Amino acid sequence: MNEIKLAVLGTEGVGKSECIYKKRLSIDGRQINLEIFDPCSQNLENKSSLTDQMNWADGFVVVYDIGDRSSFVSAKSLLRQLQEVHSEICKRDGMSVIYLVGNKQDLCHVREVSKEEGLLLAGEHKCHFCELSAAEDRQEVGTMFSKAIRNASGNRRRRPSGSKSMAKLINNVFGKRRKSV
Ligand code: GDP
Ligand code: MG
């Protein structure tokens, strides 16, 4: 059974809770145990917590709000950090494991970040990009996740089991509030 772990790093909200969602699904005829980690966005400011997430995840979805320039600026800095710390894993066989997502496309009348800027940023970091509305288009969200899972499944690297940072991560993830679906 393949295990795929995705970390969804949102820079749009003030999320104070973190969750792990677990789901068994089939992609391209392969059974996959998917785990999606939705960390508390406040914790993203903490560098060691971000490093722990990078050690845990096979792939990343970095989400900003197209109606909020500051969330785009945060996404930019997240992408930089992801690539600084883990440049060797962020790209395998020319395939990035990072998906940059401009959310709240339904609110494009109050847009502060153009689609071109999103595309440009994704191009700079050689990662995938799309704009969508999590609130109004579930299909787009599903398509994005399917692609993110496929990209991440090409990144089945060995994790440093038993390392100090892994122990800390397990504590972070499982020691706190969590939900399963
Ligand atoms: P978090 O704080 O980063 O976890 O972000 P949330 O998932 O809590 O979302 C923050 C706020 O944005 C919530 O009020 C959501 O309802 C809202 N939101 C999320 N996605 C969309 C979207 O696609 N369109 C609109 N209009 N609102 C959204
Ligand atoms: Mg949240």
Side-chain angles (χ1 to χ4, degrees):
M1 182 79 67
N2 284 304
E3 287 202 351
I4 304 292
K5 295 177 165 71
L6 287 182
V8 180
L9 310 178
T11 62
E12 49 191 317
V14 290
K16 289 184 179 143
S17 61
E18 58 185 18
C19 306
I20 274 211
Y21 303 92
K22 297 185 181 186
K23 194 170 170 60
R24 182 174 288 197
L25 73 165
S26 168
I27 282 196
D28 302 331
R30 278 189 308 148
Q31 284 292 312
I32 284 173
N33 277 331
L34 175 67
E35 290 185 27
I36 296 179
F37 180 39
D38 176 9
C40 165
S41 43
Q42 286 172 344
N43 277 352
L44 295 178
E45 286 150 28
N46 175 341
K47 213 162 187 162
S48 86
S49 146
L50 186 65
T51 306
D52 288 341
Q53 286 161 38
M54 286 192 259
N55 284 329
W56 176 83
D58 299 303
F60 304 88
V61 180
V62 175
V63 190
Y64 65 91
D65 174 353
I66 65 163
D68 175 4
R69 177 151 298 273
S70 71
S71 86
F72 184 65
V73 171
S74 304
K76 225 181 232 188
S77 115
L78 261 177
L79 285 180
R80 205 175 314 120
Q81 290 182 66
L82 277 174
Q83 265 172 347
E84 263 172 27
V85 185
H86 260 224
S87 55
E88 80 278 13
I89 66 117
C90 284
K91 230 169 62 164
R92 283 278 159 94
D93 306 324
M95 179 84 93
S96 175
V97 299
I98 304 174
Y99 223 112
L100 177 66
V101 176
N103 187 32
K104 306 197 187 180
Q105 203 185 31
D106 54 297
L107 299 180
C108 59
H109 50 285
V110 289
R111 181 192 279 279
E112 288 183 2
V113 183
S114 72
K115 189 169 184 178
E116 287 67 31
E117 282 176 281
L119 271 168
L120 204 66
L121 179 61
E124 279 166 23
H125 291 272
K126 297 189 173 58
C127 62
H128 309 267
F129 175 73
C130 70
E131 282 192 353
L132 52 76
S133 166
E136 292 196 351
D137 200 332
R138 286 174 182 218
Q139 202 175 335
E140 281 176 337
V141 177
T143 304
M144 183 277 293
F145 269 107
S146 303
K147 290 181 187 163
I149 292 164
R150 282 195 188 89
N151 297 335
S153 69
N155 183 32
R156 309 296 321 289
R157 73 215 144 75
R158 225 176 255 274
R159 290 190 183 80
S161 61
S163 78
K164 204 173 170 190
S165 88
M166 202 56 203
K168 210 164 91 196
L169 174 73
I170 289 166
N171 193 37
N172 282 351
V173 171
F174 296 102
K176 292 184 187 163
R177 213 173 350 162
R178 67 183 197 270
K179 269 187 216 158
S180 287
V181 286

